[in-house]
């Protein structure tokens, strides 16, 4: 035996869009690519709505989330956080805590590896970790943590918690490299020329608030060392990312770290990496030789796990009298917090409409507040509020129906990159949405004779890159009783990926859905997939699962052909039966029993992306009532129509639309982080004062997808759906409010005082 | 100190577990009730105490002596599903599922009090239980389905 001279593998470059950022990656070409499932592919399981495979676990309370993981001898860790935004820790007493009942360990400044960024003396935002306690019970740890907090003395330093403060001439230095980035300017065409071509030019300033993810399950980890092997149970959108973060920060090999994520209580973008809680649990567990659980309390969750940053967006929009856009310009300032990747609002200005002249400028500003993290549709949500607000203002100025105005400016290719779309049926989304909503319609502006209650209608649209891409791997294993395991190192945030991957595998394999189990969330046992972010899981992992299932099927049918002594071309599979000339001949279980322990495994990987723009698009219509005496806005109904290619499970996809729209309603009407200017402390770091929508706030929602498939995007024909629906909700509601009042409110959220303020002007 | 949890007598120590939530989760190993806000703001810890809905994170264990506590684990005998649990499955009324135990108990209490609520009554009664995934329309549909199946239309004369 000798090693093969050539692995036979081929590697190519491809581009992948992650949360609106384009990355170039080297990827492995799959051994084969199945023929795409076109719109009329005869599919029996994909495209139907079986219940979630894990629904029973969830409704019986048996689903085990990270905070439900209990290990023998487990200890509890609590983090002590800075109450103020900037300063230096001059004194804190760890010794009192060390002597308190049940306390097993204490860490403070200097006690953690620098790469973890834990427990520093220099404070640059409220909520930053200063120390941590580990004790036998949570109560003991909390008590000891309070004693440390009471002993804490921080010499305060001047801070900046708004963009205005950070950009002032005498601003305190937030980061050593400066408080702002150089403006990132992206141009196509010539905006000055576009303005000369216009009949109408409008300028507006839009402001959006800081929004907090507020997943009901806080970030958390349980860490346990066995010798030099570390197991991390973590509530995360990216098990492999947490593994590499932890390995790097602790200076161990990735093979020494196993990350497990079973059930998780939401993520929405905030749970994409290891955090202070992870490192705290891992360090205590190593030092104390016992498993350690560290779960954020709600204040820690709302201040130190990321946010959607605020924006200040100056928009210029120009159009001809007949409704053609001639120029779009954006000058945006984005106070990111103390850190964050730079996902600003500009990109949607380049993508949603056909416009020959576009110029955007983004300046990222650092402030003394928790850093941003991706939050469902990052950048596009903020940008859409400004872009769509300006589009609606222009439609009013042109006295043109806002849908007709949009349809005149439909993008027929991605004008940012020059790429053709794999599929983009935004025009049909408008048409279908108008039909469902009853648009245009004459609104009774003062229904039921109450003059102070005004009604209005509004519309807005969205685009979002949802192509996903490599690398993503999956294996499909047929067991000796004919049952099937789908193995993929991905995550289910509550989105339903466990279910839809099982559907794809069952479809491709010809197996009964109830015989297929999806195993996800374990770096040690499962092949690599990327983070579940950017609406990427279905279009990335779905094709890998399909390919693995197709390969497993071909192995099974090869075996069946031998055993039945027929040519393999006469065989097929359906409902866990091998078909001979289309007629059931042997069940999978009989066949596999006869094969005994012969292992049938198919391997799948996600191939390179096409040279196309792959986007999910949609339009939303809103009807609101505004009480002009109280300023209270009530959303009466939302109609949403989106185009995402093939929908694997319509019921679960509808749930994703509901979720995005409802978070969009929160962003439109209620949600806003408030920071005390004097201390830099978040004043509403809880779920009472930070208002997420309740059931009583929810209108009638009619949310749907256009039927069809996008076989040019990938061979499953599906694009991502999780983020798109939040993008147009707030601008559609704002447009409806403007329609009701005849006055635009250009800042979110549309609280009573903002509405009354706009009316007073 | 003794109380009844899902029909069985259980002993808990209020000094070790001052809140009912800590007693249920940490002393008795019931993972249905969740710790999320710890301030009675979100409803993830909702349980029933002598039939009343309470936030277990705000309920003192010491005040529960002799009380009957029901968690989601006690909603139906093992291996069976309560009609609400079945309806939540059928209507996809759980996304991440973290708030679901509390939602189910709030829905159970609502239907006992008002077997045929209007949608607006459902919205108000359930508004103490947050769902950040935005599953609300499907929770309403699930409750509606159970109410309708129990006979008689909402508002119909008795």
């Amino acid at each position: 035996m000798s090693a093969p001279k050539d692995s036979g593998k081929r590697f190519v470059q491809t581009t992948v869009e992650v949360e609106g950022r384009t990355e170039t990656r080297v990827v492995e070409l799959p051994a084969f690519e199945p023929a795409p499932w076109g719109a009329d592919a005869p599919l029996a399981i994909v495209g139907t709505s079986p219940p979630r495979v894990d629904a029973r676990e969830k409704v019986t309370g048996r689903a085990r989330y990270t905070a439900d993981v209990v290990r023998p001898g487990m200890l509890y860790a609590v983090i002590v956080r800075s109450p103020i935004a900037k300063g230096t820790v001059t004194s804190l007493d760890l010794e009192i805590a060390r002597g308190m009942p049940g306390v097993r360990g204490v860490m403070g400044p200097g006690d953690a590896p620098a790469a973890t960024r834990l427990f520093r003396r220099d404070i640059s935002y409220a909520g930053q970790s200063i120390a941590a306690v580990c004790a036998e019970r949570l109560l003991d740890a909390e008590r000891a943590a309070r004693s440390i907090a009471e002993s804490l003395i921080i010499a305060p330093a001047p801070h900046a918690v708004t963009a205005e403060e950070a950009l002032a001439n005498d601003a305190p230095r937030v980061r050593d490299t400066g408080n702002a980035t150089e403006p990132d300017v992206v141009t196509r065409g010539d905006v000055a020329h576009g303005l000369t071509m216009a009949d109408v030019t409008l300028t507006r300033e839009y402001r959006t608030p800081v929004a907090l993810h507020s997943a009901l399950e806080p970030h958390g980890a349980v860490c346990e060392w066995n010798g030099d092997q570390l197991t991390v149970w973590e509530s995360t959108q990216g098990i492999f990312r947490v593994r590499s973060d932890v390995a790097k920060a602790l200076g161990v090999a990735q093979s020494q770290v196993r990350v497990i994520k079973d059930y998780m209580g939401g993520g929405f973008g905030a749970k994409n990496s290891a955090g202070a809680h992870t490192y705290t649990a891992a360090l205590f567990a190593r030092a104390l030789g016992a498993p350690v659980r560290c779960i954020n309390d709600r204040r820690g969750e709302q201040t130190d796990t990321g946010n959607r940053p605020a924006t200040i967006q100056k928009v210029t929009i120009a159009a001809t009298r007949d409704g053609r856009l001639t120029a779009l310009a954006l000058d945006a300032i984005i106070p990111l917090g103390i850190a964050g990747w730079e996902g600003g609002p500009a990109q949607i200005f380049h993508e949603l409409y056909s416009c020959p002249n576009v110029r955007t400028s983004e300046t990222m500003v650092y402030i003394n507040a928790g850093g941003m993290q991706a939050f469902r549709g990052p950048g596009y949500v903020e940008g859409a509020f400004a872009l769509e607000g300006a589009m609606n203002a222009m439609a009013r100025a042109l006295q043109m129906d806002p849908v007709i105005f949009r349809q005149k400016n439909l993008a027929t290719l991605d004008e940012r990159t020059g790429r053709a779309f794999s599929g983009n049926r935004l025009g049909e989304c408008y048409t279908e949405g108008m039909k469902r909503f009853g648009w245009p319609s004459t609104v009774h502006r003062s229904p039921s004779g109450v003059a102070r209650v005004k009604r209005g209608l509004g519309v807005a649209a969205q685009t979002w890159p949802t192509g996903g891409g490599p690398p993503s791997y999956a294996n499909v294993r047929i067991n000796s009783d004919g049952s099937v395991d789908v193995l993929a190192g991905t995550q289910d945030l509550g989105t339903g990926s466990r279910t839809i991957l099982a559907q794809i595998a069952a479809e491709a394999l010809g197996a009964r859905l109830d015989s297929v189990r999806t195993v996800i969330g374990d770096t040690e046992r499962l092949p690599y997939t990327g983070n579940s972010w950017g609406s990427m899981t279905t279009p990335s992992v779905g094709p890998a699962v399909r390919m693995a299932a197709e390969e497993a099927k071909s192995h099974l049918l090869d075996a069946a052909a031998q055993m039945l002594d027929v040519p393999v071309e006469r065989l097929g599979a359906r409902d866990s039966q091998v078909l001979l000339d289309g007629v059931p001949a042997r069940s999978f279980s009989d066949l596999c029993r006869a094969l005994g322990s012969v292992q049938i495994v198919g391997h799948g990987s996600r191939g390179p992306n096409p040279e196309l723009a792959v986007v999910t698009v949609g339009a939303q219509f809103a009807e609101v009532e505004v009480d002009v005496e109280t300023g209270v806005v009530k959303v009466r109904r939302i109609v949403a129509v989106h185009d995402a290619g093939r929908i694997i499970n319509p019921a679960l996809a509808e749930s994703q639309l509901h979720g995005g729209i409802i978070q969009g309603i929160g962003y439109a009407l209620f949600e806003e982080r408030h920071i005390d200017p004097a201390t830099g402390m978040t004043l509403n770091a809880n779920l009472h004062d930070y208002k997420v929508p309740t059931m009583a706030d929810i209108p009638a929602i009619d949310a749907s997808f256009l039927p069809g498939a996008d076989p040019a995007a990938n061979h499953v024909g599906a694009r991502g759906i999780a983020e798109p629906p939040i993008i147009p909700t707030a601008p559609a509601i704002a447009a409806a409010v403007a329609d009701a009042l005849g006055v635009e409110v250009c800042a979110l959220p549309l609280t009573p005082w903002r509405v009354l303020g706009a009316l007073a002007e | 100190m003794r109380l009844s949890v899902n029909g069985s007598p259980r002993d808990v120590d209020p000094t070790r577990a001052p809140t009912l939530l800590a007693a249920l989760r940490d002393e008795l190993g019931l993972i249905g009730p969740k710790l999320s806000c710890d301030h009675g703001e979100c409803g993830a810890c909702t349980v029933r105490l002598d039939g009343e809905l309470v936030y277990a994170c705000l309920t003192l264990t010491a005040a529960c002596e002799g009380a009957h506590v029901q968690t989601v684990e006690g909603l139906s005998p093992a291996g069976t599903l309560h009609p609400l649990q079945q309806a939540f499955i059928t209507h996809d009324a759980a996304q991440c599922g973290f708030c679901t135990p509390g939602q189910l108990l709030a829905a159970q209490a609502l239907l006992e009090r008002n077997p045929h609520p209007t949608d607006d009554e459902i919205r108000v009664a359930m508004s103490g239980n947050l769902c950040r995934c935005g599953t609300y329309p499907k929770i309403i549909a699930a409750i509606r389905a159970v109410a309708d199946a129990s006979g008689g239309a909402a508002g119909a004369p008795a």
Side-chain angles (χ1 to χ4, degrees):
Chain A
M1 291 280 284
S2 62
K5 268 173 83 176
D6 177 352
S7 71
K9 290 185 184 295
R10 299 201 118 74
F11 295 84
V12 296
Q13 281 202 346
T14 191
T15 56
V16 179
E17 282 202 71
V18 183
E19 306 277 29
R21 293 166 295 170
T22 304
E23 298 177 359
T24 301
R25 294 178 181 172
V26 174
V27 300
E28 182 186 334
L29 274 183
F32 68 95
E33 288 255 6
W37 283 334
D40 50 3
L43 306 180
I45 299 170
V46 163
T48 66
S49 295
R52 282 172 203 257
V53 295
D54 50 10
R56 197 180 176 99
E57 301 299 301
K58 288 174 178 170
V59 301
T60 54
R62 284 202 307 265
R64 195 170 284 277
Y65 298 77
T66 299
D68 302 326
V69 171
V70 179
R71 303 294 301 168
M74 187 172 76
L75 306 174
Y76 297 81
V78 168
I79 296 172
V80 180
R81 300 178 183 280
S82 172
I84 67 167
K86 194 161 172 62
T88 306
V89 174
T90 54
S91 170
L92 83 168
D93 188 339
L94 304 179
E95 292 313 309
I96 299 175
R98 263 187 241 283
M100 290 177 71
V103 171
R104 297 277 296 275
V106 178
M107 289 190 285
D111 292 341
T116 65
R117 303 186 65 77
L118 288 174
F119 318 138
R120 287 135 48 103
R121 285 191 182 276
D122 53 318
I123 301 302
S124 51
Y125 64 97
Q128 186 180 323
S129 71
I130 293 176
V133 180
C134 191
E136 285 159 18
R137 293 183 303 147
L138 181 59
L139 202 62
D140 297 332
E142 287 170 343
R143 211 173 272 145
R146 271 199 299 278
S147 86
I148 294 176
E150 283 158 11
S151 77
L152 181 65
I153 299 174
I154 302 176
H159 60 248
V161 292
T162 64
E164 289 84 351
E165 286 172 6
L167 294 174
N169 284 332
D170 56 350
R173 179 150 285 213
V174 178
R175 301 229 306 201
D176 291 341
T177 47
N179 289 2
T181 61
E182 285 299 310
D184 180 11
V185 177
V186 180
T187 303
R188 79 165 172 259
D190 177 353
V191 164
H193 176 68
L195 294 177
T196 66
M197 305 294 288
D199 298 311
V200 180
T201 300
L202 301 176
T203 60
R204 293 284 187 279
E205 182 179 292
Y206 295 94
R207 287 180 179 245
T208 62
V210 174
L212 304 176
H213 301 72
S214 309
L216 281 198
E217 182 199 25
H219 287 62
V222 176
C223 290
E224 179 173 335
W225 290 83
N226 186 356
D228 62 1
Q229 293 288 321
L230 169 63
T231 302
V232 182
W233 288 264
E234 169 96 30
S235 175
T236 182
Q237 298 174 232
I239 52 172
F240 285 95
R241 168 73 181 273
V242 170
R243 183 179 72 156
S244 62
D245 285 350
V246 168
K248 201 169 163 191
L250 302 189
V252 300
Q254 290 183 7
S255 63
Q256 288 172 260
V257 181
R258 175 184 183 187
V259 178
I260 299 173
K261 184 229 75 108
D262 194 0
Y263 287 91
M264 72 184 283
F268 313 118
K271 294 180 177 170
N272 275 305
S273 52
H277 59 280
T278 325
Y279 301 129
T280 299
L283 292 170
F284 273 134
R286 184 160 66 181
L288 300 171
V292 174
R293 181 199 282 177
C294 184
I295 309 288
N296 277 348
D297 64 12
R298 185 48 61 180
R299 170 160 281 279
E301 184 66 15
Q302 302 301 89
T303 53
D304 196 25
T305 65
N307 55 69
R308 183 192 303 285
T311 64
I312 303 164
Q313 302 179 61
K314 292 193 175 111
V315 179
T316 301
I317 184 169
T320 58
R321 199 165 290 112
D322 65 351
R324 292 304 309 246
L325 284 173
T326 63
L328 282 170
L330 168 72
D331 265 298
I333 293 172
I334 303 99
L336 283 182
I338 195 64
W341 58 271
E342 292 156 12
Q347 201 151 309
I348 194 170
F349 284 78
H350 295 273
E351 293 175 346
L352 185 52
Y353 296 108
S354 174
C355 180
N357 308 298
V358 182
R359 178 186 187 277
T360 59
S361 169
E362 294 176 320
T363 302
M364 306 295 169
V365 180
Y366 297 104
I367 60 171
N368 295 112
M372 70 81 73
Q373 291 283 341
F375 185 172
R376 204 170 194 161
Y380 284 57
V381 167
E382 301 90 299
F385 178 65
L387 173 61
E388 293 296 85
M391 287 292 289
N392 285 318
M394 178 58 81
R396 276 191 297 278
L398 295 171
Q399 295 182 300
M400 187 177 285
D401 181 289
V403 177
I404 293 171
F405 178 43
R406 285 176 168 80
Q407 286 184 319
K408 282 174 184 274
N409 294 285
L410 275 182
T412 53
L413 79 165
D414 179 3
E415 293 187 4
R416 183 176 68 85
T417 59
R419 288 183 170 191
F421 292 116
S422 64
N424 180 337
R425 295 160 63 200
L426 179 57
E428 285 175 64
C429 293
Y430 289 125
T431 313
E432 178 67 16
M434 289 164 78
K435 200 169 79 192
R436 285 170 173 267
F437 190 80
W439 178 292
S441 82
T442 315
V443 185
H444 295 288
R445 294 202 181 257
S446 300
S448 64
V450 185
R452 64 183 246 196
V453 177
K454 309 285 187 201
R455 271 193 197 169
L457 309 180
V459 62
Q462 64 77 210
T463 184
W464 175 254
T466 52
S472 274
Y473 299 90
N475 294 331
V476 168
R477 182 170 64 201
I478 308 178
N479 300 307
S480 61
D481 60 356
S483 66
V484 177
D485 298 323
V486 177
L487 309 169
T490 187
Q491 303 77 209
D492 187 334
L493 286 55
T495 46
S497 50
R498 264 195 187 93
T499 307
I500 60 136
L501 295 177
Q503 287 180 260
I504 291 169
E507 184 76 56
L509 191 54
R512 284 196 328 272
L513 181 62
D514 63 8
S515 74
V516 178
R517 172 170 172 253
T518 312
V519 186
I520 60 172
D522 185 344
T523 57
E524 188 168 274
R525 299 184 179 178
L526 302 173
Y528 176 88
T529 80
N531 280 33
S532 291
W533 61 3
S535 306
M536 293 180 69
T537 302
T538 300
S540 302
V541 188
V545 166
R546 183 186 166 201
M547 180 183 162
E550 301 272 7
E551 189 175 290
K553 179 168 81 174
S554 102
H555 291 179
L556 187 73
L557 296 186
D558 282 343
Q562 299 277 326
M563 291 167 70
L564 300 171
D565 197 21
V566 294
V568 73
E569 293 74 24
R570 292 176 58 195
L571 297 179
R574 191 175 61 226
D575 293 335
S576 296
Q577 300 272 342
V578 173
L579 310 178
L580 176 60
D581 300 327
V583 178
R586 291 286 283 277
S587 70
F588 281 13
S589 55
D590 284 352
L591 193 63
C592 291
R593 252 178 229 115
L595 286 169
S597 295
V598 171
Q599 177 101 277
I600 295 183
V601 182
H603 303 284
S605 59
R606 173 60 154 82
N609 276 333
E611 300 284 321
L612 296 167
V614 182
V615 295
T616 290
V617 293
Q620 291 183 10
F621 298 78
E623 179 179 332
V624 303
E625 268 179 14
V626 188
D627 184 322
V628 297
E629 280 185 26
T630 64
V632 171
V633 177
K634 182 141 182 77
V635 181
R636 290 177 51 82
R637 59 192 181 110
I638 300 276
V639 169
V641 181
H642 294 260
D643 165 30
R646 164 169 284 108
I647 301 305
I648 309 293
N649 182 317
L652 270 56
E654 182 188 48
S655 294
Q656 286 296 298
L657 293 185
H658 287 169
I661 290 163
I662 289 168
Q663 286 183 352
I665 291 169
Y667 188 64
L669 300 184
F670 314 125
E671 295 185 35
E672 180 173 28
R673 181 189 71 184
H674 291 288
I675 287 190
D676 173 27
T679 60
M681 221 174 142
T682 299
L683 294 171
N684 56 348
N686 58 60
L687 294 176
H688 177 74
D689 301 302
Y690 184 87
K691 302 287 187 193
V692 309
T694 74
M695 199 183 284
D697 300 313
I698 298 314
I701 299 173
D702 169 7
S704 61
F705 290 97
L706 296 179
D710 186 355
N714 59 65
H715 57 73
V716 168
R719 307 192 292 251
I721 59 172
E723 285 158 296
I726 192 180
I727 296 171
T729 310
I733 291 170
V737 169
D739 183 48
L741 300 179
V743 176
E744 293 169 57
V745 188
C746 295
L748 291 179
L750 304 170
T751 52
W753 42 95
R754 282 205 181 89
V755 170
L756 294 177
L759 278 172
E761 269 175 26
Chain B
M1 200 197 94
R2 180 158 290 192
L3 47 99
S4 157
V5 178
N6 298 327
S8 304
R10 305 297 296 263
D11 291 314
V12 295
D13 177 353
T15 60
R16 287 177 59 86
T19 67
L20 181 59
L21 183 59
L24 294 170
R25 285 181 59 84
D26 303 338
E27 303 279 300
L28 302 179
L30 292 169
I31 61 170
K34 303 298 185 194
L35 176 63
S36 174
C37 74
D38 209 14
H39 287 78
E41 296 160 351
C42 74
C45 65
T46 300
V47 299
R48 303 190 67 184
L49 182 67
D50 292 329
E52 291 296 314
L53 283 179
V54 297
Y55 291 147
C57 75
L58 291 186
T59 304
L60 294 177
T61 307
C64 297
E65 184 149 25
H68 292 273
V69 178
Q70 188 214 317
T71 69
V72 71
E73 287 91 343
L75 198 50
S76 56
T80 67
L81 293 176
H82 186 280
L84 277 166
Q85 290 173 312
Q86 184 57 56
F88 269 51
I89 293 175
T90 306
H91 291 270
D92 198 39
Q95 289 191 38
C96 80
F98 199 77
C99 71
T100 307
Q103 303 280 3
L104 282 162
L105 295 175
Q108 182 199 25
L110 164 65
L111 292 183
E112 284 175 11
R113 200 168 64 239
N114 178 359
H116 300 292
T118 64
D119 281 4
D120 278 349
E121 287 169 342
I122 293 173
R123 285 173 212 273
V124 171
M126 298 294 294
S127 64
N129 290 74
L130 299 179
C131 169
R132 188 52 159 163
C133 298
T135 316
Y136 299 133
K138 302 216 166 169
I139 296 174
I140 295 172
I143 296 172
R144 169 96 280 128
V146 173
D148 291 350
S150 73

